[in-house]
Amino acid sequence: MFTVFLRFADGRAKAPQFMDAHKAWIKKGLDDGVFLMVGSLQPNLGGAILVHGVSRDQLETRINEDPFVAEGIVAAEIMEISPARTDPRLEFLMA
C-alpha cells in the first residue's frame, strides 16, 4: 500500500489549465479500484492519495500519467506502507 503526496511545484499557476484532465485521471484511479482515498493537503499545499493493489512500478507509471505531474504543477512523493495491524473494516489492506 502507498501514500502519494502531490505537492505544488513551480508550475502551480498552470493548474487551472489542466484541472479537468487531472480530475479525469483521479476518477480513473478510483474507478480502477487503485485509489482508495483522494484529498487535499492543507493549507492548499497539493493533494494526497491512498493507493492499494498495485506494485510500485505500476504506481509510478500511473503517477507519471497525471497531467499535473507531467506539466510540473505538482511533484510526486511516494511513500510505501507495510500494514501490520488494521481495524477490522480495513482488513482487506493486509492482503
Side-chain angles (χ1 to χ4, degrees):
M1 124 178 241
F2 302 90
T3 300
V4 179
F5 297 100
L6 301 173
R7 299 182 194 276
F8 282 122
D10 292 339
R12 181 179 185 164
K14 297 188 292 184
Q17 180 182 353
F18 293 94
M19 185 60 74
D20 288 342
H22 176 66
K23 286 180 179 179
W25 174 82
I26 289 170
K27 183 179 181 323
K28 180 171 178 15
L30 290 166
D31 290 347
D32 290 347
V34 173
F35 296 171
L36 300 179
M37 185 279 307
V38 177
S40 297
L41 292 174
Q42 298 303 320
N44 201 23
L45 299 174
I49 307 169
L50 186 60
V51 179
H52 179 67
V54 294
S55 69
R56 186 176 186 100
D57 287 343
Q58 291 169 321
L59 176 57
E60 287 175 357
T61 298
R62 185 178 290 264
I63 295 298
N64 289 331
E65 292 171 351
D66 176 5
F68 272 22
V69 172
E71 294 296 326
I73 297 165
V74 298
E77 178 184 8
I78 300 171
M79 303 295 291
E80 187 165 358
I81 303 167
S82 297
R85 291 184 284 178
T86 66
D87 177 282
R89 295 170 291 177
L90 298 175
E91 284 182 3
F92 71 95
L93 295 174
M94 301 300 290

